[in-house]
């Protein structure tokens, strides 16, 4: 038996490591970065001076999250101030909460070193989780809420609702956690259902009955009825099409692969590790001798495996109609992957009396996994450190103090320039062009971007900078355009017309964004 004191100390070290590393990562990577387009959708709501107006905008489809996120994030900012760092710290705190909860869950069944290693590999090897540490959307809260709901399934071994206040507290806690889960993101309902299914199977195999706890979780689901208007209007943003496309099986493998360098079609080491974890789970369930020795771990393995398999129904549904198979939507499935890694490490690293050769092999394998994480942390943040589409400084240097209005047709660039650029100039305008959004020249996301900006204008968010393209061209004879060479608005609107002249002034580049600055004038000058 491992020394209990040593295990407690290592668990404490793992907890402190998670807190310090996640916090430091958030601060270092967030420093100097403007908010990017998706972050702004949440930002304008949670910083709305009027709570009632925020609720109306949320119901009207100004953003697509659940009400729990906006309430909690708004409360967070009221405590820590409305700064970008405080905003992003909310999501980083959720990632740490998920770390702490999973550490507590894993420590019920695994040694501290195994739990620590599994958490490090997944949290600091996964692009999905790393991204949520340094940008705030509702996915960090979804991650933490699912981890909490998973942990609570491990409590309350028997259904005795009338014999102790502790059990009543567990029932109320289960209800509240699943209430939080389903009201953070629509896919929280799927996570809740998979957790319940896995817990029910674990109870059946252990001969337990916990109907009251499962019923408490189910009672949280009808609360989504109160969000029906917001859900309906958010879904309308994706009509006639959403920005996503039909997923490929490779995307599923990459989702399950915590350590990915986005190479195409390569069977990576961690794919094998995840497959090994899945095989081990099947072996525990199928083989009586193995299941008997490891039966207690099934209480965690089965709900976690159900979570790890949540991409399956989403993948199948996304083959037809609108695809919702997006990595960050499915972040909770990585909780299952974490448990699979812990089980795989237990089966491979837990050797009672390892030989010198075995110790060497195990040491090399463990070091290789940690090295992958360090390499990932070295390369991935280079992208994250780039400011998000903020061309303000370059424009002020290259254009100077001109009185010409600046049109930015690309929605995900315009909203950043309008809302988050340093000292935003009232000349910056976003011409909302529905025919262009539907054209082959536009990026696929321009359709949903158009709807989102229309919702912003409806509820008064930066409405002075949002204007219909036809109205803009009718009333503006001379202007500048920051246009994208890959999705050229000028090619759709200006070049085919004999009424306009366009002069290319210069190319501009910020991070990975290449844009072109043009001067456009009506030939008759009117």
């Amino acid at each position: 038996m491992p020394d209990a004191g040593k295990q407690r100390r290592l668990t404490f070290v793992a907890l402190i490591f998670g807190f310090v590393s996640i916090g430091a990562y958030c601060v270092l990577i967030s420093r100097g970065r403007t908010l990017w387009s998706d972050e702004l959708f949440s930002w304008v709501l949670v910083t709305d001076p009027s709570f009632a107006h925020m609720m109306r905008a949320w119901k009207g489809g100004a953003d697509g999250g659940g009400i729990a996120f906006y309430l909690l994030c708004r409360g967070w900012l009221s405590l820590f101030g409305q700064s970008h760092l405080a905003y992003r710290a909310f999501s980083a705190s959720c990632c740490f909460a998920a770390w702490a909860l999973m550490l507590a869950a894993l420590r019920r069944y695994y040694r501290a070193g195994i739990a620590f290693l599994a958490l490090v590999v997944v949290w600091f090897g996964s692009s999905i989780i790393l991204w949520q540490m340094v940008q705030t959307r509702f996915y960090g809260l979804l991650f933490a809420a699912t981890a909490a709901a998973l942990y609570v399934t491990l409590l309350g071994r028997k259904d005795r609702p009338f014999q102790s206040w502790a059990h009543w507290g567990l029932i109320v806690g289960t209800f509240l956690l699943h209430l939080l889960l389903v009201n953070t993101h629509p896919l929280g309902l799927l996570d809740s259902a998979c957790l319940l299914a896995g817990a029910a199977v674990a109870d059946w195999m252990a001969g337990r009955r916990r109907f009251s706890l499962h019923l408490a979780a189910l009672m949280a689901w009808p609360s989504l009825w109160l969000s029906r208007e917001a859900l309906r209007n958010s879904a309308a943003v994706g009509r006639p099409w959403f920005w996503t496309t039909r997923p490929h099986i490779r995307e599923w493998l990459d989702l399950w692969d915590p350590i990915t360098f986005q190479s195409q079609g390569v069977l990576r080491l961690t794919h094998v590790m995840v497959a090994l974890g899945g095989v081990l789970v099947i072996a525990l369930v199928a083989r009586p001798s193995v299941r008997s020795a490891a039966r207690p771990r099934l209480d965690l393995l089965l709900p976690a495996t159900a979570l790890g398999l949540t991409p399956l129904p989403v993948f199948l549904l996304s083959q037809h109609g609108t695809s919702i198979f997006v990595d960050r939507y499915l972040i909770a499935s990585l909780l299952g992957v974490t448990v699979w890694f812990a089980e795989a490490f237990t089966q491979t690293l837990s050797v009672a009396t390892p030989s010198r050769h075995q110790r060497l092999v195990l040491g090399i394998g463990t070091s290789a996994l940690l090295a992958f994480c360090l390499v990932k942390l070295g390369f991935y943040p280079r992208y994250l450190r780039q400011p998000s589409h903020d061309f303000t400084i370059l424009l002020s240097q290259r254009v100077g103090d001109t009185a010409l209005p600046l049109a930015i047709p690309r929605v995900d660039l315009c909203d950043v320039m309008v809302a988050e650029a340093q000292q935003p100039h009232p000349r910056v305008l976003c011409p909302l062009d529905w025919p262009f959004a539907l054209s082959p020249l536009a990026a696929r996301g321009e359709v949903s971007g158009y709807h989102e900006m229309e919702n912003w204008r409806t509820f008064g968010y930066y409405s002075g900078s949002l204007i219909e393209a036809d109205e803009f061209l009718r009333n503006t004879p001379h202007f500048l355009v920051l246009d994208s060479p890959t999705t050229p608005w000028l090619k759709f609107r200006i070049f085919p017309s004999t009424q306009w002249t366009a002069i290319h002034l210069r190319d501009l580049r910020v991070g990975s964004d290449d844009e072109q600055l043009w001067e456009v004038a009506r030939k008759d000058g009117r």
Side-chain angles (χ1 to χ4, degrees), residues 249-267:
I249 188 65
R250 182 179 59 247
E251 297 173 49
W252 191 356
L253 293 176
D254 285 345
L255 176 69
W256 267 358
D257 185 357
I259 305 168
T260 172
F261 291 93
Q262 297 165 349
S263 56
Q264 300 295 312
V266 179
L267 186 63

Side-chain angles (χ1 to χ4, degrees), residues 19 85 117 148 151 232 271 282 373 397 399-400 453 481 483:
F19 178 79
L85 182 57
L117 181 59
Y151 180 75
R232 182 173 60 249
H271 287 160
I282 295 172
C373 294
Q397 293 172 346
V399 179
M453 292 299 98
V481 177
D483 200 22

Side-chain angles (χ1 to χ4, degrees), residues 91-425:
S91 187
S93 298
C94 290
C95 291
F96 169 68
W99 170 286
L101 287 162
M102 283 305 296
L103 178 62
L106 291 170
R107 281 293 293 119
R108 295 173 69 92
Y109 306 101
Y110 300 98
R111 291 184 301 161
I114 294 292
F116 195 1
L117 181 59
L119 286 168
V120 169
V121 167
V122 176
W123 258 247
F124 294 98
S126 168
S127 300
I128 308 170
I129 301 175
L130 288 173
W131 185 229
Q132 299 313 312
M133 292 180 190
V134 296
Q135 67 108 19
T136 288
R137 290 289 275 162
F138 15 83
Y139 313 111
L141 182 60
L142 177 69
F143 194 42
T146 309
L150 173 61
Y151 180 75
V152 83
T153 63
L154 308 177
L155 308 177
R157 295 305 184 92
K158 296 182 180 180
D159 200 9
R160 296 175 178 175
F162 304 108
Q163 295 186 11
S164 71
W165 285 105
H167 197 89
W168 274 111
L170 188 59
I171 291 173
V172 173
T174 299
F175 170 76
L176 292 177
L177 287 173
H178 283 263
L179 186 70
L180 172 64
L181 182 55
V182 301
N183 285 282
T184 294
H185 188 272
L187 283 180
L189 181 62
L190 175 63
D191 295 332
S192 175
C194 288
L195 278 174
L196 280 177
V201 173
D203 287 350
W204 171 73
M205 295 186 68
R208 286 193 304 262
R209 293 184 178 181
R210 296 191 296 174
F211 295 144
S212 61
L213 295 179
H214 301 327
L215 181 61
L218 287 171
M219 287 176 63
W221 293 8
S223 64
L224 274 178
W225 176 254
L226 301 176
S227 301
R228 63 190 183 281
E229 184 179 352
L231 292 171
R232 182 173 60 249
N233 290 325
S234 294
V237 167
R239 295 173 185 165
W241 59 74
F242 197 38
W243 65 268
T244 55
T245 56
R246 190 173 68 176
H248 189 273
I249 188 65
R250 182 179 59 247
E251 297 173 49
W252 191 356
L253 293 176
D254 285 345
L255 176 69
W256 267 358
D257 185 357
I259 305 168
T260 172
F261 291 93
Q262 297 165 349
S263 56
Q264 300 295 312
V266 179
L267 186 63
R268 304 175 185 86
L269 168 64
T270 43
H271 287 160
V272 178
M273 291 293 294
V274 170
L276 174 61
V279 169
L280 288 170
V281 171
I282 295 172
L284 289 173
V285 175
R287 294 183 59 186
S289 59
V290 176
R291 188 170 68 240
S292 176
R295 183 179 295 277
R297 292 203 297 272
L298 292 179
D299 289 345
L300 175 59
L301 279 165
L302 291 176
T305 297
L307 272 181
L309 293 175
T310 51
L312 175 59
V314 177
F315 180 85
L316 295 176
L317 288 173
S318 297
Q319 298 301 312
H320 307 282
T322 299
S323 171
I324 55 173
F325 193 87
V326 181
D327 55 4
R328 54 187 178 271
Y329 295 3
L330 301 166
I331 187 173
S333 66
L334 292 177
L335 298 172
V337 174
T338 305
V339 178
W340 292 350
F341 267 91
E343 184 62 30
F345 291 149
T346 295
Q347 298 296 331
T348 55
L349 302 180
S350 298
V351 181
T353 55
S355 66
R356 182 178 179 181
H357 176 73
Q358 287 173 321
R359 286 197 300 268
L360 178 63
V361 172
L362 294 177
I364 291 175
T366 304
S367 299
L369 284 172
L370 294 176
F372 270 123
C373 294
L374 292 175
V375 172
K376 183 64 173 289
L377 285 173
F379 282 95
Y380 191 65
R382 293 182 182 179
Y383 167 73
L384 293 177
R385 289 194 187 101
Q386 298 292 344
S388 304
H389 312 323
D390 185 356
F391 284 79
T392 308
I393 297 176
L394 272 181
L395 286 171
S396 64
Q397 293 172 346
R398 307 294 174 85
V399 179
D401 187 18
T402 176
L404 293 178
L406 173 64
I408 306 180
R410 180 180 152 193
V411 170
D412 67 334
L413 173 59
C414 183
D415 59 4
V416 173
M417 290 288 291
V418 168
E420 284 303 308
Q422 298 173 15
Q423 299 178 347
H425 199 289

